[in-house]
Amino acid sequence: MSTSSSAAARWLAVGRDVLLTGDAGAGKSWALRDVATTATARGSYSVLSIRAQHTLRPFGPFRAHDSAPRGELSEKSWVAWMREELSGRRPLLLVDDLDRVDDATVAVVRTFLAVVDARMVATVGTDVRALYTSPAALLVAERAPARVRVEAMGLSETSRLLTSALGGPASIGVVSAIATRSAGNPRVALALADAARVEGVVRVEGGVWVKAGTMDSIAVDSVAHGLLPQVPAEQLEALVVLAEHGTLDERDAALLVGGDVLSALVRRGRVVMHRCDGTHTVVAVSPPALGRALRTGTLGPRALSGVSSAQSEGSGVRTTEGGARCAGRVAGPGAERLDHLDRSAVQTRASASLPAAAEEYPRWAAEIAVLVHARSEDEVARHRATWLLAPTVDHANAFLAVLLRRPADPVEVETIFSATEQTEGDTREARALFDVLATRWAVWSDSSVGSDPTTRPGPVAAQRARVAAERAAAHPGEDEDIRATTREAAAGVPVAGWARVLESSALLEAGRPDLALAVCEQVDGTVESTEQMHYLDGIQSESLLMLGRVSEAEHHARAALERALDSLDGLGIRVNACALAVVLGTRGQSEDAWRTLTVSLRLGSPGPLENTYYRRSLALGTLLRTRVGDSDLARALSTELDLTPRGYSPLLQSMGEVARTALDPDPEKVEELWAAGERHVEAGLLLPALWCWLAHPGPHSPERVRQVRDLYARCRLPLLDSLVRLHEALSAGDLAVLEVLAGPTTTIVNDAPRRTAWTMLGGRHGDGSALAPAEPGDPGEGPPLLTTRERQIALLARDGLSNREIATEFTLSVRTVENHMSSLLHKLGFTSRQDLTLHMFV
């Protein structure tokens, strides 16, 4: 909301009126109140606020005001009253719901603005075109206001809202589940939070709200009641039809509900649509919680009864068949795919250098989550129907492949495993895959399914191959010897595609990305599923990165993520968004990396089939939010990482030790990094071991530095070379080398050793410029241009405290802290809180 109010303030500063637009429940009124608070606090405006009333009585907004005179007043008298209320300097009129204000009030406002040099900020519905045919049309034409959209909330904003609503922090599992189902709408998010709390779907553990059930089980009628009362009956009926179908091709949706109605729903924000590859467009009801309310809530049956005949006459397709008929024709969002993530051509929405464009990114990410969520429900329903008709192993495998990507009903999953009919006609590969899925579910749910799955040969062979491959690759030897050993070990895996995935991941974590890359690039018919291909894409991107081929890694990750977005593939988005975020974070583009990662995190908690890259995303997100001082969300991410099941053998390590230490750099926890590295070495996981040892702030002892160098020599990891040399220089106290290596960001985990280097250099940056105004040895009082309060806030922000925590510390409002933060960053010439770590404050 503050982002929108700040944009409004910029327009006001140049003398332009403003229309605040946005979805119903998006927080337009909150943003308007923020404008009023800021304008009043600064004393720069005299402010009068009015809002539309649910009455046809003339001058209703004026009569409801606290200072309004009693009795029947004429238009002239109301103009005089407004002039008295706004008699101070720089009059500012704030109008809530301008598009619903009665004609008489609009006439008074027009007259007043014609005779008084005043500015106006007003809120209107999503579809601004409604103003052009309303009583306010002449007013808008005369004033020609600018438009500022109140955008959907991102994960950080959703986290802060839920912390306030629930009275305590929420884990990212709760945050992402509500963010996905609300599409970033505050009104919907609050309704879901209330329902989840009342029905026991969330509970407090260790002072943090965590999930105790599935969000798909809570009542969502309140969502419909908060979004639909002002929707015309024709559009409401159309929404019910579209909700029943899930995702649809735009042409099929237009056949079912009519093109004009569909367009109206898109303008209203109740339907999202994306054009794919210039060929077709996919649509779905938004937010997902509303779609569920229309399918299962009290509105559904009443609305459906009024549209069933219209459906059959318009298209000849019954509601229950339309989704299946159209499902094969729907692809995914295309027109705005990676334009949001790509900085290269025309600075994009993900670019921090264009804040106005970047503000639209949460809405795009929310729409992607809406479509992925709807597509997932379609796929589950389709495969469920197929399996129920013929519960074969092949149908069970296809059903489980989509069902286990997200948190599933344990009763349904166990029914599939127990009721699937195995016959002599089942292939060896199909049975092996069924066994692998059974094991993954059993470990995830901590229960046995049917017969004990750990005794089945398929999963056990896969586990043995994984361990053998890692241990073989972890020891020095000829490349061909290492490859032969891993191939031989992986040969025991009955699912050939998984053998490829296990071999490449083992080689990567053994510190041989060169060999892992060779495995990933051998594309042939052994990869049976998109799941395996997504994992190979992720491993290939990280292998390229570790080899120092950063541009190639970025290109590969972007291309793979684009394909996943095209097909609305949740696992593909989860894997490749994480891979791309790692590359961007390595480049030092922390905010771009975070925006990329939110596309994945918005999908919510996964099931066992997507757990590996979900855990990596949580750890990466913790690092990224810690780096910019967003400790609240960083803790929520770290908490979720602790709560997430690890599985019997995670494909790749999450590197949670590094993330937790960055969030809480307690000396004992920092020392645990070395012990964690030793455990990884023992397991043959050389790359995770190096991550832990190199993330240590140092300086290491000479003996430990020797161990780091020996371990690095056994690997092929050019990306980490400068970080290894940095630790050697820290240990030796070589200031000349530190001046060269302390400046550039070489990996996403090296902030701690860099800060140690800056301390040893006395504040000198790698380019020789001073990082602090104090002389070496001086305790560092900070730049004299900062006020005492600004310096206090800067110190706490540098230590990772959020604005809210700082406000509590000094008994200030969050807005006051934000103003101080903006001022001190401007004085220091900084662009973000992260830059405060460059100052040697004490």
Side-chain angles (χ1 to χ4, degrees):
M1 310 313 156
S2 61
T3 301
S4 303
S5 60
S6 297
R10 291 194 294 271
W11 281 110
L12 290 174
V14 298
R16 181 65 59 182
D17 291 354
V18 179
L19 294 179
L20 290 169
T21 71
D23 191 10
K28 300 185 295 294
S29 298
W30 290 350
L32 192 66
R33 286 195 293 271
D34 201 23
V35 171
T37 300
T38 303
T40 303
R42 293 177 179 174
S44 53
Y45 292 93
S46 56
V47 178
L48 173 63
S49 299
I50 61 174
R51 62 176 303 164
Q53 300 296 306
H54 297 284
T55 175
L56 296 178
R57 189 180 182 189
F59 310 120
F62 296 146
R63 297 177 191 277
H65 198 275
D66 292 340
S67 64
R70 299 185 179 278
E72 296 296 326
L73 273 66
S74 64
E75 178 179 321
K76 183 177 180 181
S77 299
W78 283 117
V79 172
W81 172 74
M82 289 186 68
R83 297 189 69 163
E84 182 179 350
E85 289 290 314
L86 292 172
S87 57
R89 61 191 298 263
R90 302 183 70 186
L92 176 62
L93 175 64
L94 306 179
V95 185
D96 205 0
D97 292 332
L98 175 62
D99 46 338
R100 297 194 297 110
V101 170
D102 64 275
D103 293 9
T105 300
V106 171
V108 171
V109 171
R110 284 185 62 208
T111 301
F112 170 77
L113 293 175
V115 298
V116 176
D117 183 17
R119 301 275 72 79
M120 178 183 71
V121 180
T123 67
V124 296
T126 305
D127 189 2
V128 180
R129 291 187 297 179
L131 280 176
Y132 300 158
T133 57
S134 72
L138 290 177
L139 174 62
V140 173
E142 291 165 354
R143 305 294 295 183
R147 174 178 177 265
V148 172
R149 181 182 175 95
V150 179
E151 294 292 351
M153 295 187 300
L155 286 179
S156 297
E157 294 80 11
T158 304
S159 177
R160 289 194 289 270
L161 179 68
L162 294 180
T163 297
S164 175
L166 296 173
S171 73
I172 199 64
V174 174
V175 173
S176 61
I178 290 180
T180 298
R181 289 159 179 78
S182 67
N185 184 297
R187 182 182 297 172
V188 178
L190 289 173
L192 292 174
D194 289 341
R197 182 163 49 175
V198 167
E199 299 185 27
V201 173
V202 296
R203 65 168 180 259
V204 179
E205 289 185 5
V208 178
W209 287 91
V210 299
K211 288 197 298 182
T214 173
M215 288 288 177
D216 289 330
S217 67
I218 63 175
V220 286
D221 279 346
S222 58
V223 174
H225 297 155
L227 295 180
L228 298 179
Q230 298 180 40
V231 175
E234 184 182 27
Q235 295 180 25
L236 176 58
E237 294 173 350
L239 278 173
V240 177
V241 174
L242 296 175
E244 284 290 308
H245 286 76
T247 51
L248 277 172
D249 187 281
E250 180 191 15
R251 292 168 295 181
D252 295 308
L255 281 174
L256 288 170
V257 304
D260 292 342
V261 173
L262 183 63
S263 297
L265 289 171
V266 171
R267 293 194 302 270
R268 190 178 287 276
R270 298 285 63 84
V271 168
V272 294
M273 58 195 310
H274 281 278
R275 190 159 183 77
C276 182
D277 293 333
T279 58
H280 60 275
T281 301
V282 62
V283 304
V285 173
S286 180
L290 176 62
R292 182 168 172 267
L294 291 171
R295 288 190 298 274
T296 64
T298 55
L299 290 175
R302 288 201 298 271
L304 277 175
S305 64
V307 298
S308 57
S309 59
Q311 277 186 259
S312 58
E313 293 173 4
S315 64
V317 180
R318 290 184 299 128
T319 298
T320 54
E321 296 176 352
R325 179 178 68 84
C326 302
R329 296 171 51 186
V330 182
E336 297 181 304
R337 295 184 306 272
L338 291 186
D339 294 340
H340 298 275
L341 308 178
D342 187 359
R343 292 170 59 110
S344 57
V346 262
Q347 287 290 309
T348 66
R349 295 185 178 186
S351 172
S353 64
L354 291 178
E359 289 158 13
E360 300 175 11
Y361 188 83
R363 174 161 53 99
W364 173 81
E367 290 176 355
I368 292 295
V370 168
L371 292 164
V372 171
H373 188 85
R375 171 58 58 80
S376 175
E377 291 191 339
D378 286 351
E379 290 180 335
V380 168
R382 186 166 66 253
H383 287 292
R384 178 184 290 117
T386 302
W387 180 82
L388 286 171
L389 289 173
T392 65
V393 170
D394 284 335
H395 290 163
N397 286 341
F399 187 13
L400 292 166
V402 295
L403 186 63
L404 298 187
R405 286 188 173 192
R406 60 185 194 173
D409 179 3
V411 174
E412 180 174 33
V413 176
E414 292 174 14
T415 300
I416 297 169
F417 284 118
S418 61
T420 295
E421 300 170 357
Q422 300 193 34
T423 67
E424 294 181 357
D426 298 328
T427 64
R428 175 177 177 273
E429 291 77 11
R431 289 187 178 184
L433 179 57
F434 187 76
D435 284 346
V436 169
L437 292 170
T439 296
R440 294 170 78 177
W441 170 255
V443 175
W444 172 270
S445 60
D446 194 26
S447 66
S448 60
V449 183
S451 61
D452 182 4
T454 60
T455 64
R456 299 174 184 175
V460 174
Q463 177 74 345
R464 282 202 304 266
R466 168 65 189 251
V467 174
E470 288 169 349
R471 289 189 178 277
H475 293 82
E478 296 296 329
D479 290 357
E480 277 306 312
D481 293 340
I482 295 174
R483 283 299 312 279
T485 303
T486 55
R487 280 196 300 267
E488 181 180 354
V493 180
V495 183
W498 273 115
R500 176 76 57 79
V501 173
L502 290 169
E503 181 183 5
S504 59
S505 63
L507 289 166
L508 173 61
E509 294 214 302
R512 294 304 304 269
D514 52 333
L515 301 182
L517 184 62
V519 175
C520 293
E521 290 177 340
Q522 292 175 354
V523 178
D524 55 33
T526 62
V527 179
E528 300 96 343
S529 71
T530 55
E531 181 188 9
Q532 297 159 16
M533 184 56 71
H534 290 319
Y535 280 124
L536 288 171
D537 277 332
I539 294 167
Q540 182 169 345
S541 296
E542 189 156 346
S543 296
L544 288 166
L545 179 65
M546 290 298 102
L547 290 169
R549 296 158 62 177
V550 182
S551 296
E552 291 179 64
E554 182 174 354
H555 175 78
H556 184 270
R558 287 187 187 280
L561 180 55
E562 181 174 358
R563 291 193 297 271
L565 289 168
D566 271 343
S567 57
L568 288 175
D569 190 315
L571 174 59
I573 294 172
R574 208 181 288 279
V575 169
N576 295 296
C578 180
L580 180 56
V582 172
V583 177
L584 294 174
T586 299
R587 288 185 177 275
Q589 300 166 206
S590 295
E591 284 303 315
D592 287 356
W594 171 247
R595 291 192 186 99
T596 303
L597 198 64
T598 58
V599 181
S600 164
L601 292 174
R602 273 186 175 273
L603 301 181
S605 302
L609 301 196
E610 297 189 7
N611 192 38
T612 289
Y613 274 88
Y614 181 58
R615 288 181 56 78
R616 287 175 73 82
S617 295
L618 293 173
L620 177 59
T622 302
L623 283 168
L624 292 171
R625 299 323 294 166
T626 301
R627 177 173 287 185
V628 298
D630 189 356
S631 56
D632 288 341
L633 189 53
R635 288 194 182 94
L637 289 157
S638 181
T639 299
E640 181 69 11
L641 180 60
D642 292 336
L643 294 172
T644 304
R646 302 188 180 196
Y648 66 96
S649 181
L651 187 65
L652 295 172
Q653 303 299 304
S654 70
M655 300 315 304
E657 306 100 334
V658 174
R660 296 184 191 96
T661 304
L663 178 61
D664 185 10
D666 179 84
E668 291 185 5
K669 293 186 177 180
V670 169
E671 185 58 24
E672 173 61 21
L673 278 176
W674 186 265
E678 290 179 323
R679 291 193 297 270
H680 287 316
V681 171
E682 179 64 24
L685 305 172
L686 272 57
L687 177 55
L690 278 172
W691 278 128
C692 290
W693 289 353
L694 295 177
H696 193 288
H700 287 311
S701 67
E703 173 59 24
R704 285 188 173 181
V705 169
R706 184 189 62 77
Q707 289 181 257
V708 171
R709 172 54 70 178
D710 289 347
L711 184 62
Y712 178 68
R714 294 164 58 184
C715 305
R716 302 290 187 275
L717 302 167
L719 184 77
L720 303 183
D721 180 70
S722 61
L723 194 50
V724 172
R725 290 189 289 117
L726 176 62
H727 274 282
E728 290 175 332
L730 285 174
S731 178
D734 191 334
L735 300 185
V737 175
L738 289 180
E739 284 191 350
V740 175
L741 297 177
T745 299
T746 54
T747 73
I748 201 165
V749 301
N750 72 340
D751 273 2
R754 274 206 305 162
R755 285 195 293 269
T756 303
W758 295 332
T759 300
M760 293 178 66
L761 289 168
R764 294 194 304 279
H765 196 283
D767 60 7
S769 60
L771 298 179
E775 294 297 325
D778 188 285
E781 289 299 322
L785 68 166
L786 296 184
T787 67
T788 299
R789 178 65 80 195
E790 286 172 344
R791 183 173 176 277
Q792 291 171 337
I793 290 174
L795 288 169
L796 294 181
R798 187 207 63 173
D799 291 339
L801 271 69
S802 68
N803 287 344
R804 187 175 299 279
E805 290 173 324
I806 296 172
T808 301
E809 181 74 18
F810 294 123
T811 319
L812 300 172
S813 70
V814 176
R815 170 60 61 190
T816 299
V817 173
E818 289 173 347
N819 291 337
H820 280 308
M821 184 65 65
S822 176
S823 173
L824 70 90
L825 291 176
H826 176 73
K827 288 179 179 180
L828 296 174
F830 289 163
T831 58
S832 74
R833 296 163 63 104
Q834 178 189 355
D835 295 329
L836 292 173
T837 60
L838 299 176
H839 276 263
M840 308 307 294
F841 292 131
V842 176

